[in-house]
Amino acid sequence: MPLGLYVSVPFCRSKCSFCNFASGVFSRDKMNGYIAQLQEEIASAETRATILHAEFERSVDSIYFGGGTPTTLSPDQLGCIFQAIRNEFHVQPDAEITVECAPGTLRPEILDALLQGGTNRVSLGTQSFIDEEIKSVGRLHTAQQTLADINALRAAGIANINVDLIAGLPHQTAERWRASLDQLAQSGVPHASVYILEIDEDSRLGRELIAGGNRYHAHHVPDSDLAADLYLEAVDFLDRAGLPQYEISNFARPDFESHHNLKYWTRQPYFGFGLDAHSMLRANITSLDVESVRFANGDDLLTYLAGSAQQEPTFIGHQGASEETMFLGLRLNRGIDLHTIKPAITQSFDREIRELLNLGLLEQSGNSLRLTSRGRLLSNEVFERFITVPAALAAG
Ligand code: SF4
């Protein structure tokens, strides 16, 4: 089965107040060192897979550059990464190649480098079409720049564009949210991602909100009930606009679903490179109950630059694989086909499934089990019910 590749680029022009990713603003020197390390990591992918007893596939049908902001790299640096991938892997001619871009960073020479690398899909971290909301979280672009980028991408032949929106940003109101949704629909992009602002202590804004302070416009953040209502409104609005929901946070015109992200939710193999990148490959161990191998790099940049960010792998057995199929598949609106899950697993979760059906968080028709729209709002609580204790054996 062809692989999906993920490349993490943890550099940004500024750090958004709500961001809890391993990303930041770093010097050119660090960026150069990072590219060198990334090239080395990609070149040794097969060796790493062999050491981990994982199946290595050279054929690739999706590549995703995320982060961070990959378009903060120079055209040469982007070219080096594309070349490193093509040296090591066979990228299928129709592979989906996505690059995340911050609006306003798509200079003509960057766009050129993306096209030369084969990019055919771009995800714009728009977050809102209201300038006050965008500015309040520390982003440097304007709504107008997003629209200009969409036009530039189309003119360059990239029509497969995603726009991200966040419900619950400071200064957001129901009217402003509708204006953002209207603008998104008018732009005609075929894919949208809608997230609810996460409030946790891993971001400056989250910490300020928890502390009840006023910095980072925290006192202008709408309450969680309004944020949930805004998300539900987006689900209805985008459906009417021809972009039905296909995953908790994702909406697309028919045939424009993200092939790469579908790999994560349907447990197809992928190989990640760079800071905090995760991978899952099929296991190549016949004598043990091991179905797949998950492994990752840590999220400390200096450790990564020193070439020692690789963490211990986790071997997933057949029971763990079925559990993952369950809670990852439930992210999709089409849900899971209970026929594809081992009967012993569905039986072991019989009580949980019945409770969640009674609570109106799951619904079942025939063999298909899916989240309800309320279940999507409380998805983490639902998924927790499907994770048992040692589904996976940590390798020593
Ligand atoms: S651009 Fe994205 S990755 Fe960078 S700081 Fe903002 S949210 Fe985080």
Side-chain angles (χ1 to χ4, degrees), residues 12 14-16 18-19 21 23 67-69 127 139:
C12 298
S14 62
K15 184 78 179 170
C16 304
F18 61 79
C19 182
F21 300 138
S23 66
T69 308
Q127 304 178 350
R139 293 305 290 263

Side-chain angles (χ1 to χ4, degrees), residues 57-330:
E57 175 59 65
R58 219 165 272 285
S59 180
V60 161
D61 65 357
S62 77
I63 305 174
Y64 195 102
F65 285 70
T69 308
T71 45
T72 51
L73 296 178
S74 69
D76 283 352
Q77 289 172 326
L78 285 165
C80 286
I81 305 177
F82 280 118
Q83 195 52 55
I85 289 174
R86 288 181 193 278
N87 289 346
E88 183 68 14
F89 295 95
H90 168 64
V91 182
Q92 295 185 356
D94 59 350
E96 178 190 87
I97 304 180
T98 305
V99 178
E100 286 184 355
C101 298
T105 59
L106 264 181
R107 290 175 285 120
E109 56 276 25
I110 294 287
L111 189 48
D112 247 20
L114 298 186
L115 289 169
Q116 280 184 23
T119 306
N120 49 26
R121 185 170 184 273
V122 164
S123 177
L124 289 170
T126 306
Q127 304 178 350
S128 165
F129 283 97
I130 304 294
D131 286 344
E132 188 182 14
E133 294 173 18
I134 301 169
K135 206 164 156 221
S136 73
V137 290
R139 293 305 290 263
L140 303 176
H141 67 273
T142 61
Q144 215 41 52
Q145 275 172 316
T146 296
L147 298 173
D149 284 346
I150 292 172
N151 286 337
L153 286 166
R154 287 198 179 117
I158 300 178
N160 194 352
I161 300 168
N162 172 57
V163 160
D164 277 359
L165 290 184
I166 299 181
L169 290 179
H171 302 286
Q172 209 165 52
T173 62
E175 291 69 33
R176 287 175 156 202
W177 181 245
R178 218 155 294 137
S180 277
L181 291 172
D182 275 334
Q183 189 65 76
L184 189 152
Q186 279 169 33
S187 75
V189 294
H191 194 286
S193 303
V194 179
Y195 304 98
I196 299 180
L197 183 75
E198 258 184 60
I199 297 170
D200 60 35
E201 50 193 29
D202 290 335
S203 73
R204 287 172 295 154
L205 178 57
R207 282 192 293 276
E208 192 66 11
L209 278 162
I210 292 167
N214 288 346
R215 289 185 302 167
Y216 314 118
H217 302 254
H219 50 312
H220 292 295
V221 170
D223 67 33
S224 56
D225 284 347
L226 178 56
D229 286 347
L230 299 180
Y231 165 83
L232 290 174
E233 185 185 347
V235 174
D236 282 346
F237 178 95
L238 291 170
D239 191 58
R240 289 195 305 275
L243 288 86
Q245 184 179 34
Y246 70 98
E247 193 268 347
I248 293 172
S249 306
N250 288 286
F251 306 78
R253 295 192 193 289
D255 300 327
F256 282 94
E257 294 87 1
S258 160
H259 296 306
H260 184 82
N261 288 337
L262 278 167
K263 282 183 187 285
Y264 299 147
W265 303 316
T266 56
R267 296 194 80 257
Q268 294 175 49
Y270 55 90
F271 210 137
F273 302 101
L275 196 69
D276 204 23
H278 291 242
S279 308
M280 190 207 69
L281 299 179
R282 296 276 171 257
N284 215 352
I285 309 174
T286 43
S287 58
L288 292 171
D289 172 32
V290 178
E291 193 263 1
S292 49
V293 188
R294 289 191 176 275
F295 52 99
N297 292 331
D299 63 2
D300 180 67
L301 183 64
L302 294 180
T303 312
Y304 181 79
L305 292 176
S308 43
Q310 298 184 0
Q311 297 182 330
E312 291 296 331
T314 302
F315 293 107
I316 311 290
H318 292 283
Q319 157 140 355
S322 274
E323 290 172 7
E324 287 188 4
T325 302
M326 217 147 157
F327 65 78
L328 291 171
L330 281 173

